[in-house]
Amino acid sequence: MPAASMQVLARRLVRRGFEPELFGYATVAGGPERAVPRLADRLAAAPCHVLAHSLGGLLIVHTLRAEPGLPVARAVCLGSPLCGSAAADGVARAPAIGRLLGRSAGLLRTGCTPWRGRTQLGVIAGSRPRGLGQMFGRFDGPCDGTVSVAETRLAGLADHVVIDASHCGLLLSGDAVALAAHFFAHGRFREPGAAQAAQALE
């Protein structure tokens, strides 16, 4: 994806005291095989945290699994189908448009195995069902219009949270940035008991 897709989130992270660097990759022509070595080189430069969206989350998990010694303390995935994407599977089966997934099709369709790496991994999922993914995938339960919440619940996560945002809306969400910043600082999205208290007020 173009690095520019993360610019809004990057600007908001700057205001919270972070120094973000953007990373872009080719999803169709390049795919994970070309992106992983480049990303690993970038991540090896200095200790860091990672914020990734959608396929980017799969890419970071794939990279950390391939290079377990990378100095990534914590990573947050936004709407990433870490358990595999029904929408991507539907697109791949459609003869006219299946090629749009390019070299990323396999990773999108199969997802990742349970996480056991040393990097603390968290996921922010969206529950606002607005997106074209519903045309190609059948979702059980809440979804962000492209990825279901269930598809983001990979075993081994340090934390998981659901917010009112669509798949693309996660890229513009102030709540997502606040939660990611808290996770980078504490290894969880909210203080213990905060989620239960919020539910009790609803």
Side-chain angles (χ1 to χ4, degrees), residues 28-86:
V28 178
E33 291 79 10
R34 296 185 183 181
V36 165
R38 290 179 50 233
L39 180 56
D41 286 344
R42 287 281 295 274
L43 297 175
C48 63
H49 302 304
V50 175
L51 179 62
H53 177 255
S54 196
L55 175 59
L58 290 158
L59 185 62
I60 184 61
V61 172
H62 199 57
T63 302
L64 292 172
R65 198 182 303 280
E67 300 287 345
L70 290 172
V72 179
R74 290 166 180 151
V76 172
C77 301
L78 304 176
S80 298
L82 300 181
C83 299
S85 168

Side-chain angles (χ1 to χ4, degrees), residues 76-121:
V76 172
C77 301
L78 304 176
S80 298
L82 300 181
C83 299
S85 168
D89 191 58
V91 170
R93 294 174 185 275
I97 59 173
R99 75 182 93 180
L100 294 176
L101 297 178
R103 296 176 181 270
S104 300
L107 184 57
L108 280 167
R109 296 175 74 182
T110 60
C112 307
T113 56
W115 178 245
R116 296 187 178 89
R118 66 180 185 180
T119 297
Q120 288 185 295
L121 185 64

Side-chain angles (χ1 to χ4, degrees), residues 6 21 25 27 39 64 93 97 102 109 132 182 186 188:
M6 299 291 285
E21 295 182 11
Y25 56 96
T27 59
L39 180 56
L64 292 172
R93 294 174 185 275
I97 59 173
R109 296 175 74 182
L132 297 178
H182 194 277
H186 305 287
R188 56 183 180 268

